[in-house]
Coordinates of all heavy atoms in Angstrom, one line a residue:
M114 N -11.0 1.4 -17.1 CA -9.6 1.1 -16.7 C -8.7 2.2 -17.0 O -7.7 2.3 -16.4 CB -9.3 -0.3 -17.3 CG -8.0 -0.8 -16.8 SD -8.2 -1.4 -15.2 CE -6.6 -2.0 -14.9
N115 N -8.9 2.8 -18.1 CA -8.0 3.9 -18.5 C -7.9 5.0 -17.5 O -6.9 5.6 -17.2 CB -8.4 4.5 -19.9 CG -7.3 5.3 -20.5 OD1 -6.2 5.3 -20.1 ND2 -7.7 6.1 -21.4
F116 N -9.1 5.4 -16.9 CA -9.1 6.4 -15.8 C -8.3 6.0 -14.6 O -7.5 6.7 -14.1 CB -10.5 6.7 -15.4 CG -10.6 7.6 -14.2 CD1 -10.5 9.0 -14.4 CD2 -10.8 7.1 -12.9 CE1 -10.6 9.9 -13.4 CE2 -10.9 8.0 -11.9 CZ -10.8 9.4 -12.1
I117 N -8.4 4.7 -14.2 CA -7.7 4.2 -13.1 C -6.2 4.2 -13.4 O -5.4 4.6 -12.6 CB -8.2 2.8 -12.7 CG1 -9.6 2.9 -12.1 CG2 -7.3 2.2 -11.6 CD1 -10.2 1.6 -11.8
S118 N -5.8 3.7 -14.5 CA -4.4 3.6 -14.9 C -3.8 5.0 -15.1 O -2.6 5.2 -14.9 CB -4.1 2.7 -16.1 OG -4.7 3.3 -17.2
R119 N -4.6 6.0 -15.4 CA -4.0 7.3 -15.7 C -4.0 8.2 -14.4 O -3.0 8.9 -14.2 CB -4.9 8.0 -16.7 CG -4.5 9.4 -17.0 CD -5.3 10.1 -18.0 NE -4.5 10.0 -19.2 CZ -5.0 10.4 -20.4 NH1 -6.2 10.8 -20.5 NH2 -4.2 10.4 -21.5
Y120 N -5.0 8.1 -13.6 CA -5.1 9.0 -12.4 C -5.0 8.4 -11.1 O -4.7 9.1 -10.1 CB -6.4 9.8 -12.5 CG -6.5 10.7 -13.7 CD1 -7.4 10.4 -14.7 CD2 -5.7 11.8 -13.8 CE1 -7.5 11.2 -15.8 CE2 -5.8 12.6 -14.9 CZ -6.7 12.3 -15.9 OH -6.8 13.1 -17.0
V121 N -5.1 7.1 -10.9 CA -5.2 6.5 -9.6 C -4.0 5.6 -9.3 O -3.2 5.8 -8.4 CB -6.5 5.7 -9.4 CG1 -6.5 5.1 -8.0 CG2 -7.7 6.6 -9.6
I122 N -3.8 4.5 -10.1 CA -2.7 3.6 -9.9 C -1.9 3.5 -11.1 O -2.4 3.2 -12.2 CB -3.3 2.2 -9.5 CG1 -4.0 2.2 -8.2 CG2 -2.1 1.2 -9.4 CD1 -4.7 0.9 -7.8
R123 N -0.6 3.6 -10.9 CA 0.4 3.5 -12.0 C 1.6 2.8 -11.5 O 2.2 3.1 -10.5 CB 0.8 4.9 -12.5 CG 1.7 4.8 -13.8 CD 2.0 6.2 -14.3 NE 0.8 6.9 -14.7 CZ 0.6 8.2 -14.6 NH1 1.6 8.9 -14.1 NH2 -0.5 8.8 -14.9
E124 N 1.9 1.7 -12.2 CA 3.1 0.8 -11.9 C 3.1 0.3 -10.5 O 4.1 0.3 -9.8 CB 4.4 1.6 -12.2 CG 4.6 2.0 -13.6 CD 5.8 2.8 -13.8 OE1 6.6 3.0 -12.9 OE2 6.0 3.3 -15.0
G125 N 1.9 0.0 -10.0 CA 1.8 -0.6 -8.6 C 1.7 0.4 -7.5 O 1.7 0.0 -6.3
N126 N 1.8 1.7 -7.8 CA 1.7 2.7 -6.7 C 0.6 3.7 -7.0 O 0.2 3.8 -8.2 CB 3.0 3.5 -6.7 CG 4.1 2.7 -6.1 OD1 3.9 2.0 -5.1 ND2 5.3 2.8 -6.6
L127 N 0.1 4.3 -6.0 CA -0.8 5.4 -6.2 C -0.1 6.6 -6.9 O 1.0 6.9 -6.6 CB -1.5 5.9 -4.9 CG -2.4 4.9 -4.2 CD1 -2.9 5.5 -2.9 CD2 -3.6 4.6 -5.1
T128 N -0.8 7.3 -7.8 CA -0.3 8.5 -8.4 C -0.3 9.6 -7.4 O -0.9 9.5 -6.3 CB -1.1 8.9 -9.6 OG1 -2.4 9.2 -9.2 CG2 -1.1 7.8 -10.7
L129 N 0.5 10.6 -7.7 CA 0.5 11.8 -6.8 C -0.8 12.4 -6.6 O -1.2 12.8 -5.5 CB 1.5 12.8 -7.4 CG 1.8 14.1 -6.5 CD1 2.4 13.7 -5.2 CD2 2.6 15.0 -7.2
V130 N -1.6 12.5 -7.7 CA -3.0 13.1 -7.6 C -3.8 12.2 -6.6 O -4.6 12.8 -5.8 CB -3.6 13.1 -9.0 CG1 -5.1 13.5 -8.9 CG2 -2.8 14.0 -9.9
A131 N -3.8 10.9 -6.7 CA -4.6 10.1 -5.9 C -4.1 10.1 -4.4 O -5.0 10.2 -3.5 CB -4.5 8.6 -6.4
A132 N -2.8 10.2 -4.2 CA -2.3 10.3 -2.8 C -2.7 11.6 -2.2 O -3.2 11.6 -1.0 CB -0.8 10.1 -2.8
I133 N -2.6 12.7 -2.9 CA -3.0 14.0 -2.3 C -4.5 14.0 -2.1 O -5.0 14.5 -1.1 CB -2.4 15.1 -3.2 CG1 -0.9 15.2 -3.1 CG2 -3.1 16.4 -2.8 CD1 -0.3 16.2 -4.1
G134 N -5.2 13.5 -3.1 CA -6.6 13.4 -2.9 C -7.1 12.6 -1.7 O -8.0 13.0 -1.0
L135 N -6.5 11.5 -1.5 CA -6.8 10.7 -0.3 C -6.5 11.4 1.0 O -7.3 11.4 2.0 CB -6.1 9.4 -0.3 CG -6.7 8.3 -1.2 CD1 -5.8 7.1 -1.2 CD2 -8.1 7.9 -0.8
V136 N -5.4 12.1 1.1 CA -5.1 12.9 2.3 C -6.1 14.0 2.5 O -6.6 14.2 3.6 CB -3.6 13.4 2.2 CG1 -3.3 14.4 3.3 CG2 -2.6 12.3 2.2
I137 N -6.4 14.7 1.4 CA -7.4 15.8 1.6 C -8.8 15.3 2.0 O -9.4 15.9 2.9 CB -7.4 16.7 0.3 CG1 -6.1 17.4 0.1 CG2 -8.6 17.6 0.3 CD1 -6.0 18.1 -1.2
V138 N -9.2 14.2 1.3 CA -10.5 13.7 1.6 C -10.5 13.1 3.1 O -11.5 13.3 3.8 CB -10.9 12.6 0.6 CG1 -12.1 11.8 1.1 CG2 -11.2 13.2 -0.7
G139 N -9.5 12.5 3.5 CA -9.4 11.9 4.8 C -9.5 13.0 5.9 O -10.2 12.9 6.8
F140 N -8.7 14.1 5.7 CA -8.7 15.2 6.7 C -10.1 15.9 6.6 O -10.6 16.4 7.6 CB -7.6 16.1 6.5 CG -6.3 15.6 7.0 CD1 -5.1 15.7 6.2 CD2 -6.2 15.0 8.3 CE1 -3.9 15.2 6.7 CE2 -5.0 14.5 8.7 CZ -3.9 14.6 8.0
G141 N -10.7 16.0 5.4 CA -12.0 16.6 5.3 C -13.1 15.8 6.1 O -13.9 16.3 6.8
I142 N -13.0 14.4 6.0 CA -14.0 13.6 6.7 C -13.7 13.8 8.2 O -14.7 13.9 9.0 CB -13.8 12.1 6.3 CG1 -14.3 11.9 4.9 CG2 -14.5 11.2 7.3 CD1 -14.1 10.6 4.3
A143 N -12.5 13.8 8.6 CA -12.2 14.0 10.1 C -12.7 15.4 10.6 O -13.3 15.4 11.7 CB -10.7 13.9 10.3
F144 N -12.5 16.4 9.8 CA -13.0 17.7 10.2 C -14.5 17.8 10.3 O -15.1 18.3 11.2 CB -12.5 18.8 9.2 CG -13.0 20.1 9.4 CD1 -12.5 20.9 10.4 CD2 -14.1 20.7 8.7 CE1 -13.0 22.2 10.7 CE2 -14.6 21.9 8.9 CZ -14.0 22.7 9.9
V145 N -15.2 17.2 9.3 CA -16.6 17.2 9.3 C -17.2 16.4 10.5 O -18.1 16.8 11.1 CB -17.2 16.7 7.9 CG1 -18.7 16.4 8.0 CG2 -16.9 17.7 6.8
A146 N -16.5 15.3 10.8 CA -16.9 14.5 11.9 C -16.8 15.2 13.2 O -17.7 15.2 14.1 CB -16.1 13.2 12.0
I147 N -15.7 16.0 13.4 CA -15.5 16.7 14.6 C -16.5 17.9 14.8 O -17.0 18.2 15.8 CB -14.1 17.2 14.7 CG1 -13.1 16.0 14.9 CG2 -13.9 18.2 15.9 CD1 -13.3 15.2 16.1
E148 N -16.7 18.6 13.7 CA -17.5 19.8 13.7 C -19.0 19.5 13.7 O -19.7 20.3 14.3 CB -17.1 20.7 12.5 CG -15.8 21.3 12.6 CD -15.7 22.3 13.8 OE1 -16.6 23.1 14.0 OE2 -14.6 22.3 14.4
Y149 N -19.5 18.5 13.0 CA -20.9 18.5 12.7 C -21.6 17.2 13.2 O -22.9 17.2 13.2 CB -21.2 18.6 11.2 CG -20.7 19.9 10.6 CD1 -19.6 19.9 9.8 CD2 -21.3 21.1 10.9 CE1 -19.1 21.1 9.2 CE2 -20.9 22.3 10.4 CZ -19.8 22.3 9.6 OH -19.3 23.5 9.1
L150 N -20.9 16.2 13.6 CA -21.6 15.0 14.1 C -22.0 15.2 15.6 O -21.2 15.8 16.4 CB -20.8 13.8 14.0 CG -20.6 13.3 12.5 CD1 -19.7 12.1 12.4 CD2 -21.9 13.1 11.8
P151 N -23.2 14.8 16.0 CA -23.7 15.1 17.4 C -23.1 14.2 18.5 O -22.8 14.7 19.5 CB -25.2 14.9 17.2 CG -25.4 14.0 16.1 CD -24.3 14.2 15.2
S152 N -23.0 13.0 18.2 CA -22.6 12.0 19.2 C -21.1 11.9 19.3 O -20.4 11.9 18.3 CB -23.2 10.7 18.9 OG -22.6 9.7 19.7
P153 N -20.5 11.8 20.6 CA -19.1 11.6 20.7 C -18.6 10.3 20.0 O -17.5 10.2 19.5 CB -18.9 11.5 22.2 CG -20.0 12.2 22.8 CD -21.2 12.0 21.9
L154 N -19.5 9.2 20.1 CA -19.1 8.0 19.4 C -19.0 8.2 17.9 O -18.1 7.7 17.3 CB -20.2 6.9 19.8 CG -19.9 5.5 19.1 CD1 -18.6 5.0 19.7 CD2 -21.1 4.6 19.4
L155 N -20.0 8.9 17.3 CA -19.9 9.1 15.9 C -18.7 10.0 15.5 O -18.1 9.8 14.5 CB -21.2 9.8 15.4 CG -22.5 8.9 15.4 CD1 -23.7 9.7 15.0 CD2 -22.2 7.7 14.5
K156 N -18.4 11.0 16.4 CA -17.2 11.8 16.2 C -16.0 11.0 16.1 O -15.1 11.1 15.3 CB -17.1 12.9 17.2 CG -18.1 14.0 17.1 CD -17.9 15.1 18.1 CE -18.9 16.2 17.9 NZ -18.7 17.4 18.7
A157 N -15.9 10.0 17.1 CA -14.7 9.2 17.2 C -14.6 8.3 15.9 O -13.5 8.1 15.4 CB -14.7 8.4 18.4
L158 N -15.7 7.7 15.5 CA -15.7 6.8 14.3 C -15.4 7.6 13.1 O -14.6 7.2 12.2 CB -17.1 6.1 14.2 CG -17.4 5.1 15.2 CD1 -18.8 4.6 15.0 CD2 -16.4 3.9 15.1
G159 N -16.0 8.8 12.9 CA -15.7 9.6 11.8 C -14.2 10.1 11.7 O -13.6 10.1 10.7
M160 N -13.7 10.4 12.9 CA -12.3 10.8 13.0 C -11.4 9.7 12.6 O -10.4 9.8 11.9 CB -12.0 11.4 14.4 CG -10.7 11.9 14.6 SD -10.5 13.5 13.9 CE -9.0 14.0 14.5
S161 N -11.7 8.5 13.1 CA -10.9 7.3 12.8 C -10.9 7.0 11.3 O -9.9 6.7 10.7 CB -11.4 6.1 13.6 OG -11.3 6.4 15.0
L162 N -12.1 7.0 10.7 CA -12.2 6.8 9.3 C -11.4 7.8 8.5 O -10.7 7.4 7.6 CB -13.7 6.8 8.9 CG -14.0 6.6 7.4 CD1 -13.6 5.1 7.0 CD2 -15.4 6.9 7.1
G163 N -11.6 9.0 8.8 CA -10.9 10.1 8.1 C -9.4 10.0 8.2 O -8.6 10.1 7.2
L164 N -8.9 9.7 9.4 CA -7.4 9.5 9.6 C -6.9 8.3 8.9 O -5.8 8.3 8.4 CB -7.1 9.6 11.1 CG -7.2 10.9 11.7 CD1 -6.9 10.8 13.2 CD2 -6.4 12.0 11.1
A165 N -7.7 7.2 8.9 CA -7.3 6.0 8.2 C -7.2 6.3 6.7 O -6.2 5.8 6.0 CB -8.3 4.9 8.4
I166 N -8.1 7.0 6.1 CA -8.0 7.3 4.7 C -6.8 8.2 4.4 O -6.1 8.0 3.4 CB -9.4 8.0 4.2 CG1 -10.5 6.9 4.2 CG2 -9.2 8.6 2.8 CD1 -11.9 7.5 4.0
A167 N -6.6 9.2 5.2 CA -5.4 10.1 5.0 C -4.1 9.3 5.2 O -3.2 9.5 4.5 CB -5.5 11.2 6.0
A168 N -4.1 8.3 6.1 CA -2.9 7.5 6.3 C -2.6 6.6 5.0 O -1.4 6.5 4.7 CB -3.1 6.6 7.5
I169 N -3.6 6.2 4.4 CA -3.4 5.4 3.1 C -2.7 6.3 2.1 O -1.8 5.8 1.4 CB -4.7 4.8 2.6 CG1 -5.2 3.7 3.5 CG2 -4.5 4.3 1.2 CD1 -6.6 3.3 3.2
G170 N -3.2 7.5 2.0 CA -2.5 8.4 1.0 C -1.1 8.7 1.4 O -0.2 8.8 0.6
G171 N -0.9 8.9 2.7 CA 0.5 9.3 3.2 C 1.4 8.1 3.1 O 2.6 8.2 2.7
F172 N 1.0 6.9 3.4 CA 1.8 5.7 3.3 C 2.1 5.3 1.9 O 3.2 4.7 1.6 CB 1.2 4.5 4.1 CG 1.3 4.7 5.6 CD1 0.2 4.3 6.4 CD2 2.4 5.2 6.2 CE1 0.3 4.4 7.7 CE2 2.5 5.3 7.6 CZ 1.4 5.0 8.3
S173 N 1.2 5.7 1.0 CA 1.5 5.3 -0.4 C 2.7 6.2 -0.9 O 3.5 5.7 -1.8 CB 0.3 5.6 -1.3 OG 0.0 6.9 -1.4
G174 N 2.8 7.4 -0.4 CA 4.0 8.2 -0.8 C 5.3 7.6 -0.3 O 6.3 7.6 -1.0
R175 N 5.3 7.1 0.9 CA 6.5 6.4 1.5 C 6.8 5.2 0.7 O 7.9 4.8 0.5 CB 6.3 6.1 2.9 CG 6.3 7.3 3.8 CD 6.5 6.9 5.2 NE 6.6 8.1 6.0 CZ 6.9 8.1 7.3 NH1 7.2 7.0 7.9 NH2 7.0 9.3 7.9
A176 N 5.7 4.4 0.3 CA 6.0 3.2 -0.5 C 6.6 3.5 -1.8 O 7.5 2.8 -2.3 CB 4.7 2.4 -0.7
K177 N 6.2 4.6 -2.4 CA 6.8 5.0 -3.7 C 8.2 5.4 -3.5 O 9.1 5.1 -4.3 CB 6.0 6.1 -4.3 CG 6.3 6.4 -5.7 CD 5.4 7.4 -6.3 CE 5.6 7.5 -7.8 NZ 4.6 8.4 -8.5
A178 N 8.5 6.1 -2.4 CA 9.9 6.5 -2.1 C 10.8 5.3 -1.9 O 12.0 5.4 -2.3 CB 9.9 7.5 -0.9
L179 N 10.3 4.3 -1.3 CA 11.1 3.1 -1.1 C 11.0 2.1 -2.2 O 11.5 1.0 -2.1 CB 10.6 2.4 0.2 CG 10.8 3.2 1.5 CD1 10.1 2.5 2.7 CD2 12.3 3.3 1.8
D180 N 10.3 2.4 -3.3 CA 10.2 1.6 -4.5 C 9.5 0.3 -4.2 O 9.8 -0.7 -4.7 CB 11.5 1.3 -5.1 CG 11.4 0.9 -6.6 OD1 10.4 1.3 -7.2 OD2 12.3 0.1 -7.1
L181 N 8.5 0.4 -3.3 CA 7.6 -0.7 -3.1 C 6.3 -0.6 -3.9 O 6.0 0.5 -4.3 CB 7.1 -0.8 -1.6 CG 8.3 -0.9 -0.6 CD1 7.7 -0.7 0.8 CD2 9.0 -2.2 -0.7
K182 N 5.7 -1.7 -4.3 CA 4.6 -1.7 -5.1 C 3.4 -2.4 -4.4 O 3.2 -3.6 -4.6 CB 4.9 -2.4 -6.5 CG 6.0 -1.6 -7.2 CD 6.2 -2.1 -8.6 CE 7.3 -1.5 -9.3 NZ 7.7 -0.2 -9.0
P183 N 2.7 -1.7 -3.6 CA 1.6 -2.3 -2.8 C 0.3 -2.6 -3.6 O -0.5 -3.4 -3.2 CB 1.3 -1.3 -1.7 CG 1.7 0.0 -2.3 CD 2.9 -0.3 -3.2
F184 N 0.1 -2.0 -4.8 CA -1.1 -2.2 -5.5 C -0.8 -2.9 -6.8 O -0.9 -2.3 -7.9 CB -1.8 -0.9 -5.8 CG -2.1 -0.1 -4.6 CD1 -1.4 1.0 -4.2 CD2 -3.2 -0.5 -3.8 CE1 -1.7 1.7 -3.0 CE2 -3.5 0.2 -2.6 CZ -2.7 1.3 -2.3
T185 N -0.4 -4.2 -6.8 CA -0.1 -4.9 -8.0 C -1.2 -6.0 -8.2 O -2.0 -6.3 -7.3 CB 1.3 -5.6 -7.9 OG1 1.2 -6.5 -6.8 CG2 2.4 -4.6 -7.7
N186 N -1.2 -6.5 -9.4 CA -2.2 -7.6 -9.6 C -1.6 -9.0 -9.3 O -2.3 -10.0 -9.5 CB -2.6 -7.5 -11.1 CG -3.5 -6.3 -11.4 OD1 -4.1 -5.8 -10.5 ND2 -3.4 -5.8 -12.6
D187 N -0.4 -9.0 -8.9 CA 0.3 -10.3 -8.6 C 0.2 -10.6 -7.1 O 0.9 -10.0 -6.3 CB 1.8 -10.2 -9.0 CG 2.5 -11.5 -8.8 OD1 1.8 -12.6 -8.7 OD2 3.7 -11.5 -8.9
P188 N -0.7 -11.5 -6.7 CA -0.9 -11.8 -5.3 C 0.3 -12.5 -4.7 O 0.4 -12.5 -3.5 CB -2.1 -12.6 -5.3 CG -2.2 -13.3 -6.6 CD -1.6 -12.3 -7.6
L189 N 1.2 -13.1 -5.5 CA 2.3 -13.9 -4.9 C 3.6 -13.2 -5.2 O 4.7 -13.8 -5.2 CB 2.3 -15.3 -5.5 CG 1.1 -16.1 -5.2 CD1 1.2 -17.4 -5.9 CD2 0.9 -16.3 -3.8
S190 N 3.6 -11.9 -5.3 CA 4.9 -11.1 -5.6 C 5.8 -11.1 -4.4 O 7.0 -10.9 -4.5 CB 4.6 -9.7 -6.0 OG 3.9 -9.0 -5.0
W191 N 5.2 -11.4 -3.2 CA 6.0 -11.5 -2.0 C 7.1 -12.6 -2.1 O 8.1 -12.5 -1.5 CB 5.2 -11.7 -0.8 CG 4.4 -13.0 -0.8 CD1 3.1 -13.2 -1.3 CD2 4.8 -14.3 -0.3 NE1 2.8 -14.5 -1.1 CE2 3.8 -15.2 -0.5 CE3 5.9 -14.7 0.4 CZ2 3.8 -16.5 -0.1 CZ3 6.0 -16.0 0.7 CH2 5.0 -16.9 0.5
R192 N 6.8 -13.6 -2.9 CA 7.8 -14.7 -3.0 C 9.1 -14.2 -3.7 O 10.2 -14.5 -3.4 CB 7.2 -15.9 -3.8 CG 6.2 -16.6 -3.0 CD 5.7 -17.8 -3.8 NE 4.6 -18.4 -3.0 CZ 3.9 -19.4 -3.5 NH1 4.1 -19.9 -4.7 NH2 3.0 -20.0 -2.7
N193 N 8.9 -13.4 -4.7 CA 10.1 -12.8 -5.4 C 10.8 -11.9 -4.5 O 12.1 -11.8 -4.5 CB 9.6 -12.0 -6.7 CG 9.0 -12.9 -7.7 OD1 9.4 -14.1 -7.8 ND2 8.2 -12.4 -8.5
A194 N 10.1 -11.1 -3.7 CA 10.8 -10.2 -2.7 C 11.6 -11.1 -1.7 O 12.7 -10.7 -1.3 CB 9.8 -9.3 -2.0
K195 N 11.0 -12.2 -1.2 CA 11.6 -13.0 -0.3 C 12.9 -13.6 -0.8 O 13.9 -13.7 -0.2 CB 10.7 -14.1 0.2 CG 11.2 -15.0 1.3 CD 10.2 -16.0 1.7 CE 10.8 -17.0 2.7 NZ 9.8 -18.0 3.1
K196 N 12.9 -14.0 -2.1 CA 14.1 -14.5 -2.8 C 15.1 -13.5 -2.9 O 16.3 -13.8 -2.8 CB 13.7 -15.1 -4.1 CG 12.9 -16.4 -4.1 CD 12.6 -16.8 -5.5 CE 11.6 -18.0 -5.5 NZ 11.2 -18.4 -6.8
S197 N 14.8 -12.3 -3.1 CA 15.7 -11.2 -3.3 C 16.5 -10.9 -2.0 O 17.6 -10.3 -2.0 CB 15.1 -9.9 -3.8 OG 14.3 -9.3 -2.8
Y198 N 15.9 -11.3 -0.8 CA 16.6 -11.0 0.5 C 17.6 -12.1 0.8 O 18.4 -11.9 1.7 CB 15.6 -11.0 1.6 CG 14.7 -9.8 1.5 CD1 13.3 -9.9 1.8 CD2 15.1 -8.5 1.2 CE1 12.5 -8.8 1.7 CE2 14.3 -7.4 1.1 CZ 13.0 -7.6 1.3 OH 12.1 -6.5 1.2
Q199 N 17.5 -13.2 0.1 CA 18.5 -14.3 0.4 C 19.8 -14.0 -0.1 O 20.0 -13.5 -1.2 CB 18.0 -15.6 -0.1 CG 16.7 -16.2 0.5 CD 16.3 -17.5 -0.1 OE1 16.7 -17.8 -1.2 NE2 15.5 -18.3 0.7
S200 N 20.9 -14.4 0.6 CA 22.2 -14.3 0.1 C 22.6 -15.5 -0.8 O 21.8 -16.5 -0.8 CB 23.2 -14.2 1.3 OG 23.2 -15.4 2.0
D201 N 23.7 -15.4 -1.5 CA 24.1 -16.5 -2.3 C 24.3 -17.8 -1.6 O 24.1 -18.9 -2.0 CB 25.3 -16.1 -3.2 CG 25.0 -15.0 -4.2 OD1 23.8 -15.0 -4.6 OD2 25.9 -14.3 -4.5
S202 N 24.9 -17.7 -0.4 CA 25.2 -18.9 0.4 C 23.9 -19.6 0.9 O 23.8 -20.8 1.0 CB 26.0 -18.5 1.7 OG 25.3 -17.6 2.5
D203 N 22.8 -18.8 1.2 CA 21.6 -19.4 1.5 C 21.0 -20.2 0.4 O 20.4 -21.2 0.6 CB 20.6 -18.3 2.0 CG 21.0 -17.6 3.3 OD1 21.8 -18.2 4.0 OD2 20.5 -16.5 3.6
I204 N 21.1 -19.6 -0.8 CA 20.6 -20.3 -2.0 C 21.3 -21.6 -2.2 O 20.7 -22.7 -2.5 CB 20.6 -19.4 -3.2 CG1 19.7 -18.2 -3.0 CG2 20.3 -20.2 -4.5 CD1 19.9 -17.1 -4.1
Q205 N 22.6 -21.6 -2.0 CA 23.4 -22.9 -2.2 C 23.0 -23.9 -1.1 O 22.9 -25.1 -1.4 CB 24.9 -22.6 -2.1 CG 25.4 -21.7 -3.3 CD 25.2 -22.4 -4.6 OE1 25.3 -23.6 -4.7 NE2 25.0 -21.6 -5.6
E206 N 22.8 -23.5 0.1 CA 22.3 -24.4 1.1 C 21.0 -25.0 0.8 O 20.8 -26.2 1.1 CB 22.3 -23.7 2.5 CG 23.7 -23.3 3.1 CD 23.5 -22.5 4.3 OE1 22.4 -22.5 4.9 OE2 24.5 -22.0 4.8
D207 N 20.1 -24.2 0.3 CA 18.8 -24.7 -0.1 C 18.9 -25.8 -1.1 O 18.2 -26.8 -1.1 CB 17.8 -23.6 -0.6 CG 17.4 -22.7 0.6 OD1 17.5 -23.1 1.8 OD2 16.9 -21.6 0.3
K208 N 19.8 -25.6 -2.1 CA 19.9 -26.6 -3.2 C 20.6 -27.9 -2.6 O 20.3 -29.0 -3.0 CB 20.7 -26.0 -4.3 CG 20.0 -25.0 -5.1 CD 20.8 -24.4 -6.2 CE 20.0 -23.4 -7.0 NZ 20.9 -22.8 -8.1
S209 N 21.5 -27.7 -1.7 CA 22.2 -28.9 -1.2 C 21.4 -29.7 -0.2 O 21.6 -30.9 0.0 CB 23.5 -28.5 -0.5 OG 23.3 -27.7 0.6
D210 N 20.4 -29.1 0.4 CA 19.5 -29.8 1.4 C 18.6 -30.8 0.7 O 18.0 -31.6 1.3 CB 18.6 -28.8 2.2 CG 19.4 -28.0 3.2 OD1 20.5 -28.4 3.5 OD2 18.9 -27.0 3.6
G211 N 18.4 -30.6 -0.6 CA 17.5 -31.5 -1.3 C 16.1 -31.0 -1.3 O 15.2 -31.8 -1.7
K212 N 15.8 -29.8 -0.9 CA 14.5 -29.3 -0.9 C 13.9 -29.1 -2.3 O 12.7 -29.2 -2.5 CB 14.4 -28.0 -0.1 CG 14.6 -28.1 1.4 CD 14.6 -26.8 2.0 CE 14.9 -26.9 3.5 NZ 14.9 -25.6 4.1
N213 N 14.8 -28.8 -3.2 CA 14.4 -28.5 -4.6 C 14.5 -29.7 -5.5 O 14.3 -29.6 -6.7 CB 15.2 -27.3 -5.1 CG 14.9 -26.0 -4.4 OD1 13.9 -25.9 -3.8 ND2 15.9 -25.2 -4.3
D214 N 14.8 -30.9 -5.0 CA 14.9 -32.0 -5.8 C 13.6 -32.7 -5.9 O 13.1 -33.4 -5.0 CB 15.9 -33.0 -5.2 CG 17.3 -32.5 -5.1 OD1 17.6 -31.5 -5.9 OD2 18.1 -32.9 -4.3
L215 N 13.0 -32.6 -7.1 CA 11.7 -33.3 -7.3 C 11.7 -34.0 -8.6 O 12.2 -33.7 -9.6 CB 10.5 -32.4 -7.3 CG 10.1 -31.9 -5.9 CD1 9.0 -30.9 -6.0 CD2 9.8 -33.0 -4.9

């Protein structure tokens, strides 16, 4: 776990090393697929896989810039984010509707 927390995932985001590594590996897979695989179907599958891996690395950089945490251990963290989007008037309406009365 120490290796993962040090080099791969830190505070819910991929580290810079991991993001750059995914981009390089993804483009490497795409290059090898185009250059060395014999079948056009295999080339397309290899290219798709490589670009998908590179996209994960690229999108993790954007998530970090927007202060999103896509790699957390909390599966229900979306509820906290949803609450943060509500305005104060929406919260008061929810309380007055009786939805929270149990």
Side-chain angles (χ1 to χ4, degrees):
M114 186 71 179
N115 192 18
F116 173 80
I117 291 174
S118 66
R119 176 178 261 176
Y120 295 111
V121 182
I122 297 175
R123 186 177 300 147
E124 297 175 4
N126 287 319
L127 289 179
T128 61
L129 183 63
V130 172
I133 291 172
L135 281 174
V136 170
I137 291 171
V138 167
F140 284 133
I142 290 172
F144 175 77
V145 167
I147 294 296
E148 289 294 320
Y149 298 111
L150 291 180
S152 167
L154 179 64
L155 289 176
K156 287 183 180 191
L158 289 175
M160 184 76 170
S161 299
L162 177 68
L164 290 179
I166 291 171
I169 291 170
F172 287 139
S173 71
R175 287 193 178 192
K177 191 171 188 174
L179 295 172
D180 199 29
L181 301 174
K182 299 187 183 333
F184 301 106
T185 61
N186 291 332
D187 183 15
L189 299 177
S190 64
W191 61 271
R192 290 184 183 174
N193 294 333
K195 185 178 177 181
K196 288 178 187 176
S197 71
Y198 295 136
Q199 290 182 341
S200 65
D201 292 333
S202 62
D203 292 340
I204 294 171
Q205 294 299 327
E206 288 176 13
D207 287 345
K208 288 182 181 178
S209 66
D210 288 343
K212 292 179 183 176
N213 296 333
D214 296 337
L215 289 177

